[in-house]
């Protein structure tokens, strides 16, 4: 069963993402939340996940910096950015940093499900 | 570049870029439709001479660019905010906490800002930069630090019997 970590400083957005994950069959018990980049880095470094969903703009540590640190530490969990930063330069930056996929908010439930499926099918 | 021309100060012609306004307007409609499942229509556009405090909760986004600086403010009544955040969360408005209301409006406006920023960057390079939104709550709230002596555009949006206001201003250097 897929285990997912959501790193987002918005509690509302975490709830929205959890709802979408439940719709595609992820069990609530297999979803963990981190309210900022620092906590996300700590949790992702200590536990194994099948997918990390990462916001970009967060207090303390930007999501892109968390991605860089996780990859530097050798953690190969697929990471999908879920962010309002939709400019092409940001997408390129995220992929270069080690993100596997990129979903721009606003997104439809179908977009979300398709990107999650793509992300979990890729390996770093 | 198409411009909306308004002589608001009497000291020359101030202009609000129609592309900026149209892009933000489209972003508002897209975000409300996609994330909150709410069809929003533009009801009215009113040029004015200053910001007006409206509604119970506002989110403010700063605009900066090569040609000047400005501000976007989205203001909602509590029922309107409750409708949108409730749809976003899949909850009834009365179930939403005050904290989630602010967070939800901030997140929706953050998406509007991000969507507009992406469109503006694709259309016109890096002409405008938009800040992350800040939230101000309370009836009759005021926005400090706003541009002075600039024309404002009020865009009145309507959704399911409620309305909300987008106020846009831009001061050229």
């Amino acid at each position: 069963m897929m285990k997912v970590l959501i790193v987002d400083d918005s509690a509302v957005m975490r709830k929205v993402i959890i709802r979408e994950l439940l719709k595609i069959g992820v069990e609530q018990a297999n979803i963990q939340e981190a309210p900022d980049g620092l906590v996300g880095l700590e949790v992702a470094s200590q536990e194994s996940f099948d997918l990390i969903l990462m916001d970009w703009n967060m207090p303390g540590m930007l999501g892109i910096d968390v991605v860089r640190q996780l990859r530097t530490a050798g953690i190969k969990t697929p990471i999908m950015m879920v962010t309002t930063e939709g400019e092409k330069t940001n997408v390129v930056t995220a992929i270069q940093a080690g993100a596997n996929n990129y979903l721009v908010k606003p997104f439809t439930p179908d977009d979300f499900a398709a990107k999650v499926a793509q992300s979990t099918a890729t390996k770093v | 570049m198409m411009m909306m021309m308004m002589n608001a100060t009497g000291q020359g012609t101030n202009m609000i870029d129609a592309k900026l306004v149209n892009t933000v307007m489209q972003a508002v409609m897209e975000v409300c439709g996609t994330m909150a499942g709410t069809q929003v229509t533009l009801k009215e556009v009113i040029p004015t001479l200053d910001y007006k405090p409206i509604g119970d909760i506002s989110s403010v986004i700063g605009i900066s660019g090569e040609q000047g600086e400005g501000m976007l403010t989205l203001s909602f009544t509590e029922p309107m905010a409750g409708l949108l955040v409730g749809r976003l969360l899949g909850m009834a408005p009365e179930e939403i906490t005050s904290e989630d209301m602010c967070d939800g409006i901030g997140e929706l406006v953050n998406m509007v800002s991000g969507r507009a920023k992406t469109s503006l960057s694709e259309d016109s390079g890096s002409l405008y930069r938009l800040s992350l939104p800040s939230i101000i709550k309370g009836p009759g709230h005021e926005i400090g630090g706003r541009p002075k002596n600039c024309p404002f555009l009020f865009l009145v949006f309507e959704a399911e019997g409620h309305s909300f206001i987008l106020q846009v201003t831009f001061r050229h250097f």
Side-chain angles (χ1 to χ4, degrees):
Chain A
M1 187 55 72
M2 185 160 68
K3 194 173 168 192
V4 182
L5 173 64
I6 305 165
V7 187
D8 197 312
D9 61 316
S10 164
V12 164
M13 189 46 62
R14 294 198 303 273
K15 287 177 189 174
V16 170
I17 291 173
I18 288 170
R19 188 183 63 203
E20 297 305 322
L21 287 170
L22 295 174
K23 277 189 204 168
I24 58 173
V26 180
E27 289 184 6
Q28 180 86 52
N30 288 328
I31 302 171
Q32 282 205 46
E33 302 175 55
D36 61 48
L38 289 168
V39 175
L41 179 63
E42 187 182 340
V43 174
S45 303
Q46 291 171 354
E47 288 187 47
S48 177
F49 293 91
D50 299 297
L51 177 64
I52 299 171
L53 303 176
M54 184 75 67
D55 188 16
W56 189 301
N57 291 305
M58 291 180 286
M61 181 182 276
L62 295 175
I64 191 70
D65 293 328
V66 180
V67 174
R68 287 194 184 102
Q69 293 215 20
L70 289 173
R71 294 306 184 224
T72 301
I75 291 166
K76 299 188 179 199
T77 308
I79 301 173
M80 179 166 91
M81 304 301 293
V82 184
T83 173
T84 58
E85 297 291 339
E87 290 163 78
K88 284 174 189 159
T89 52
N90 290 326
V91 179
V92 172
T93 300
I95 299 301
Q96 286 175 341
N100 301 72
N101 216 332
Y102 204 99
L103 178 63
V104 179
K105 306 173 200 168
F107 54 79
T108 65
D110 287 347
D111 289 339
F112 181 85
K115 292 273 187 175
V116 167
Q118 279 177 12
S119 303
T120 50
T122 61
K123 297 285 177 198
V124 176
Chain B
M1 183 183 297
M2 191 168 67
M3 303 290 239
M4 284 184 186
M5 310 286 288
M6 286 180 295
N7 191 340
T9 63
Q11 299 170 347
T13 302
N14 283 308
M15 293 172 283
I16 297 178
D17 184 353
K19 183 183 281 182
L20 170 68
V21 175
N22 289 334
T23 301
V24 176
M25 187 181 78
Q26 289 298 326
V28 167
M29 292 174 169
E30 185 183 338
V31 168
C32 289
T34 306
M35 293 305 290
T38 304
Q39 291 305 311
V40 165
T41 54
L42 181 65
K43 189 180 166 191
E44 206 173 357
V45 179
I46 309 165
T48 70
L49 296 178
D50 198 3
Y51 165 86
K52 287 184 174 46
I54 290 170
D56 303 309
I57 180 166
S58 289
S59 187
V60 184
I61 300 166
I63 311 166
S64 59
E66 293 157 6
Q67 299 172 14
E69 62 185 2
M71 186 178 88
L72 303 170
T73 307
L74 272 155
S75 299
F76 306 85
T77 59
E78 281 220 13
M80 182 77 248
L83 174 76
L84 291 174
V85 176
R87 294 275 173 82
L88 178 66
L89 284 169
M91 294 167 69
E94 58 271 18
E95 294 174 316
I96 301 165
T97 64
S98 175
E99 196 175 37
D100 277 355
M101 186 79 87
C102 289
D103 188 15
I105 287 296
E107 195 57 30
L108 285 169
V109 177
N110 197 14
M111 286 183 232
V112 169
S113 169
R115 188 72 198 89
K117 196 165 69 170
T118 302
S119 296
L120 289 168
S121 125
E122 284 166 359
D123 289 350
S124 53
S126 57
L127 192 58
Y128 297 111
R129 289 177 295 279
L130 306 180
S131 72
L132 291 176
S134 51
I135 298 284
I136 300 151
K137 196 165 183 276
H141 53 265
E142 277 283 351
I143 311 283
R146 62 182 188 265
K148 303 287 184 199
N149 300 320
C150 295
F152 272 74
L153 273 186
F154 273 34
L155 284 81
V156 183
F157 292 93
E158 200 171 56
E160 301 181 24
H162 299 286
S163 59
F164 61 96
I165 310 287
L166 168 65
Q167 299 187 55
V168 185
T169 189
F170 196 81
R171 180 179 60 191
H172 288 257
F173 293 134

